[in-house]
Amino acid sequence: MATLSDDGPYYLEKESLPGDPSEEFLNEQIPDEDDFALSDEEEDLQAAVKALNEQNLDENLLVNNEEASTIVNRRPEVVEDFVRNFLVKTGMHRTLDCFQTEWYELKMKGLLQEEKCEIVPDIYIRNQQLEDSLRTAHREADSFREAARKASNMHIKLKKERDYHRMHHKRVVQEKDRLIADIKRLKQHYASYEPTLKTLKHKYEVAMKEKLLTKLERDRAVGQVQGLQSTLSQIEVSKINVANASTSPMKKPLTNQNGQPNTSVQLPPPRAHHPLDSEFPPDKGVNPYLSKNRAPCAHLTRTGGFRLTNTVSSHDLAVSGLCLHPRKQVLASVSDDNTWKLWAIPSGDIIMTGEGHEDWLSDCDFHPSGSKLATSSGDTTVKIWDFAQAKCVETFAGHTQAVWGCSFHSCGDFLASCSMDGTSKIWDLNSTRCRNTLRGHADSVNSIMFLPFSNTLCTCSADKTVSLWDARTGLCAQTLYGHVHSINHVIFNNKGDMLASCDSYGIVRLWDIRTTSVLKTLDFGPHPSNRVAFDPSTSVLAIASNDGMVKMYDIAGGNTASLTGHEDAVQDAVFDRNGEFLISGASDGTIRIWS
């Protein structure tokens, strides 16, 4: 029987079996061809055990090597080197000298045992590595502890800031709630005053209206008195002429001694086509502004001398046109909200409001007497409003598309209008019919204006031309070329010797009426120029621009400046009669006064 022992060698022990083995056991013979047959050498039990032991030893060494490779990096080191490194590491230099002296002495004499000079066991190296790892872990723990301490301080700081901001937020919310409550209370409080304010506003408008009507009546009475005085003087002159004629048998001459026509002889007027048609005045009238060489105001010599002095929230929608009363400080404004309004200037107090058009209003113009107002609209009509009757007294409906502008003749009997349908019309206020239709433009007619104290009419169109017309015949007398974009507006100066036009690219041209030539070309683009206006002295030109500014141009000096204040496109700009201030209206629904 073989016995295996881990601590000692293997040996065989002889044992005997009682009886005949063949009687109790049936043995099966293994054929020789079987692959598992043992050779003669393998039948030796001791050799088999030895082979098995070697196999197990190889497996154990392989496992140990794998564990060592994964756990400890083997660094062969003899005992004396280990001791030397230890002494050097700990700084024991004197002990190192003694050790080296004694070690080599014993080694040379052969007194050291071989097992004491072998390689240091791995456990020491492992301990040293663990000490290094422990030392590194302590350093990392210290750094982590410091980071944790900083993070804790930061967390505490952030909590304090959070609490502070939370408290501040709660306080702001409380203040907001309190303010909302106060606003609601004030709204309820002011709502009780709303009927009273409306009543006072209505009374104020009625009072201003009565005041304006009173002034108009006074002016009318003064005019009647002056007319009566002139009539009386003519009657007296006629009586004297009749007395002189009765004493002379000769026929009354048509001219006096100076060769001038005799005013006492009345020539019959030409017969009109309609019984109520008005007659155009003779085109020999003298413009009173020609003899007035007005010097520009001191602040107008500098184009940038204007400053914003008043802002009036006039309309709910865009202000599309402005017009000043011929004698009073009254301004008329029209808007896209289908209404027109009268304002006291420069205070900005409202006087009257008119409603009646079915669409937006584009332009307006005062009657030369100041008692009526003409408005043009997108509903294809032109309306005449009488301030004394406080209503619309006439509606001219002849255009087929929106009406862009209107202008009164200086005599007050005729009104001209221009339309998107490419035509312009001249309306007779007495016979309330269209006297002439001006056809010649190939596109929308955007602006129209009578030459002051003349029968000449000027129009501008989207076909990039400016035309001069004879209002009596309806014929085109002259066409001015030069613009390359749609022309938005055209206007004469007071003297009637200069014309200004502006187009949709911001180009402004000044024309000499006598020679029909271009005097200056100004570029204020690329934003469109909507309207232009001369000051009374014809020294400064104001341009209402689509970029929200009013451009000022000094015609003599060539200087330019911009008035900034509107929040949207400026649609119109006008000077007052004395040139002391400028009024502008824009798409932001406001009227601004610059002085």
Side-chain angles (χ1 to χ4, degrees):
M1 180 177 180
T3 303
L4 299 178
S5 176
D6 296 335
D7 297 333
Y10 301 99
Y11 60 92
L12 294 176
E13 184 176 312
K14 186 178 180 181
E15 293 290 340
S16 61
L17 297 175
D20 188 5
S22 60
E23 295 178 358
E24 297 180 2
F25 299 97
L26 295 177
N27 297 326
E28 184 178 358
Q29 184 178 2
I30 300 175
D32 295 337
E33 291 81 8
D34 195 350
D35 294 336
F36 297 96
L38 298 176
S39 62
D40 296 337
E41 293 81 7
E42 290 178 349
E43 292 180 355
D44 189 358
L45 181 58
Q46 187 173 2
V49 172
K50 184 178 180 181
L52 182 60
N53 189 17
E54 290 178 357
Q55 183 179 359
N56 293 334
L57 181 59
D58 293 338
E59 292 179 356
N60 292 333
L61 289 176
L62 182 60
V63 173
N64 292 334
N65 290 334
E66 293 179 355
E67 292 179 355
S69 62
T70 56
I71 299 176
V72 178
N73 294 326
R74 185 179 182 85
R75 293 182 299 175
E77 190 176 18
V78 293
V79 174
E80 61 268 25
D81 291 338
F82 178 79
V83 175
R84 289 191 195 96
N85 293 335
F86 175 76
L87 294 177
V88 171
K89 185 177 181 180
T90 56
M92 301 171 67
H93 299 289
R94 289 180 296 174
T95 305
L96 176 62
D97 295 338
C98 295
F99 169 75
Q100 288 181 349
T101 302
E102 188 174 2
W103 178 271
Y104 285 113
E105 182 181 355
L106 294 176
K107 189 174 183 180
M108 294 302 295
K109 292 179 180 181
L111 299 178
L112 292 177
Q113 299 178 2
E114 293 182 1
E115 61 272 10
K116 294 183 179 179
C117 299
E118 295 177 352
I119 296 174
V120 179
D122 291 341
I123 189 62
Y124 295 104
I125 300 175
R126 177 63 177 168
N127 290 338
Q128 186 176 1
Q129 292 177 348
L130 291 176
E131 288 180 359
D132 295 340
S133 300
L134 182 61
R135 200 175 298 110
T136 303
H138 281 302
R139 288 197 299 269
E140 293 179 354
D142 293 339
S143 63
F144 291 155
R145 192 177 296 108
E146 181 66 20
R149 184 184 62 80
K150 293 182 179 179
S152 178
N153 295 335
M154 182 62 68
H155 177 66
I156 294 173
K157 181 179 178 181
L158 292 176
K159 285 179 63 177
K160 291 181 179 179
E161 292 181 356
R162 181 201 63 187
D163 297 338
Y164 170 77
H165 290 300
R166 183 178 295 171
M167 180 179 63
H168 180 68
H169 174 70
K170 291 181 179 179
R171 183 171 64 252
V172 170
V173 171
Q174 291 176 358
E175 293 179 356
K176 184 190 74 173
D177 295 338
R178 186 170 63 254
L179 290 176
I180 291 175
D182 293 342
I183 291 174
K184 290 181 179 179
R185 188 179 68 254
L186 290 175
K187 284 184 177 179
Q188 294 176 357
H189 179 69
Y190 290 141
S192 61
Y193 290 101
E194 190 69 21
T196 305
L197 292 175
K198 289 183 178 180
T199 303
L200 293 176
K201 183 178 180 180
H202 178 69
K203 291 182 179 179
Y204 175 75
E205 292 180 356
V206 171
M208 294 298 296
K209 177 181 176 181
E210 292 178 353
K211 179 181 177 181
L212 178 62
L213 294 177
T214 302
K215 290 182 179 180
L216 294 175
E217 290 294 336
R218 184 193 65 184
D219 294 341
R220 185 181 300 170
V222 171
Q224 291 177 355
V225 170
Q226 293 177 354
L228 291 175
Q229 290 177 353
S230 62
T231 303
L232 291 175
S233 62
Q234 291 177 2
I235 292 175
E236 292 177 358
V237 172
S238 299
K239 288 181 179 179
I240 294 174
N241 292 333
V242 170
N244 294 333
S246 61
T247 59
S248 176
M250 297 180 62
K251 187 177 179 181
K252 189 173 183 179
L254 296 178
T255 58
N256 54 23
Q257 296 179 355
N258 297 328
Q260 299 294 333
N262 196 335
T263 57
S264 62
V265 178
Q266 300 292 332
L267 297 176
R271 191 176 70 178
H273 298 288
H274 190 279
L276 299 179
D277 274 349
S278 303
E279 290 296 329
F280 283 94
D283 209 355
K284 296 180 181 180
V286 178
N287 189 342
Y289 294 105
L290 291 175
S291 60
K292 295 181 181 180
N293 294 323
R294 297 186 54 179
C297 296
H299 66 279
L300 285 179
T301 58
R302 297 178 292 106
T303 55
F306 286 94
R307 296 292 181 270
L308 181 62
T309 58
N310 193 7
T311 300
V312 181
S313 298
S314 54
H315 293 274
D316 297 332
L317 298 177
V319 178
S320 54
L322 301 173
C323 183
L324 277 171
H325 194 277
R327 290 187 302 276
K328 302 183 183 303
Q329 297 290 68
V330 176
L331 175 73
S333 65
V334 294
S335 170
D336 289 351
D337 60 5
N338 305 354
T339 64
W340 58 266
K341 295 183 180 182
L342 296 183
W343 309 88
I345 300 299
S347 63
D349 298 329
I350 189 169
I351 300 175
M352 185 181 296
T353 300
E355 297 179 359
H357 282 286
E358 298 178 357
D359 208 339
W360 44 268
L361 276 69
S362 58
D363 197 11
C364 61
D365 192 25
F366 276 102
H367 191 273
S369 65
S371 60
K372 296 181 179 66
L373 180 71
T375 58
S376 59
S377 170
D379 61 5
T380 71
T381 63
V382 180
K383 291 182 180 291
I384 307 296
W385 308 82
D386 193 327
F387 300 138
Q389 303 180 32
K391 67 176 183 179
C392 175
V393 294
E394 191 60 51
T395 300
F396 298 116
H399 290 287
T400 58
Q401 297 186 37
V403 183
W404 285 122
C406 57
S407 176
F408 272 108
H409 192 283
S410 56
C411 68
D413 294 332
F414 302 96
L415 176 68
S417 63
C418 61
S419 171
M420 191 187 296
D421 59 10
T423 64
S424 301
K425 292 181 180 293
I426 300 175
W427 308 90
D428 193 327
L429 270 67
N430 294 321
S431 61
T432 66
R433 72 186 186 98
C434 177
R435 292 289 299 271
N436 279 317
T437 299
L438 313 181
R439 295 181 175 88
H441 286 292
D443 207 336
S444 170
V445 184
N446 297 329
S447 178
I448 191 167
M449 184 180 183
F450 273 105
L451 180 66
F453 306 98
S454 170
N455 294 321
T456 300
L457 192 65
C458 182
T459 60
C460 68
S461 170
D463 63 5
K464 310 166 190 177
T465 62
V466 178
S467 296
L468 299 176
W469 308 78
D470 188 341
R472 295 167 297 183
T473 62
L475 300 177
C476 179
Q478 186 71 37
T479 300
L480 309 179
Y481 300 92
H483 284 279
V484 294
H485 298 88
S486 173
I487 306 176
N488 293 332
H489 188 237
V490 64
I491 190 172
F492 290 102
N493 63 343
N494 286 338
K495 294 183 179 180
D497 59 350
M498 187 183 297
L499 178 70
S501 59
C502 62
D503 63 24
S504 59
Y505 198 73
I507 304 299
V508 178
R509 290 181 180 269
L510 299 179
W511 309 80
D512 190 340
I513 300 301
R514 295 163 294 187
T515 61
T516 65
S517 60
V518 179
L519 296 176
K520 290 183 180 180
T521 299
L522 312 173
D523 188 356
F524 294 99
H527 299 282
S529 296
N530 298 319
R531 297 287 180 96
V532 288
F534 285 103
D535 77 293
S537 63
T538 318
S539 60
V540 175
L541 184 69
I543 301 97
S545 178
N546 217 54
D547 59 359
M549 294 187 291
V550 180
K551 312 292 180 61
M552 308 294 292
Y553 177 73
D554 186 355
I555 298 177
N559 300 322
T560 60
S562 299
L563 306 182
T564 305
H566 284 287
E567 299 176 357
D568 207 340
V570 182
Q571 299 295 340
D572 201 356
V574 293
F575 287 94
D576 75 310
R577 297 187 306 275
N578 300 321
E580 296 178 355
F581 50 84
L582 173 72
I583 307 167
S584 60
S587 296
D588 56 7
T590 63
I591 297 174
R592 297 179 188 263
I593 302 174
W594 315 78
S595 62

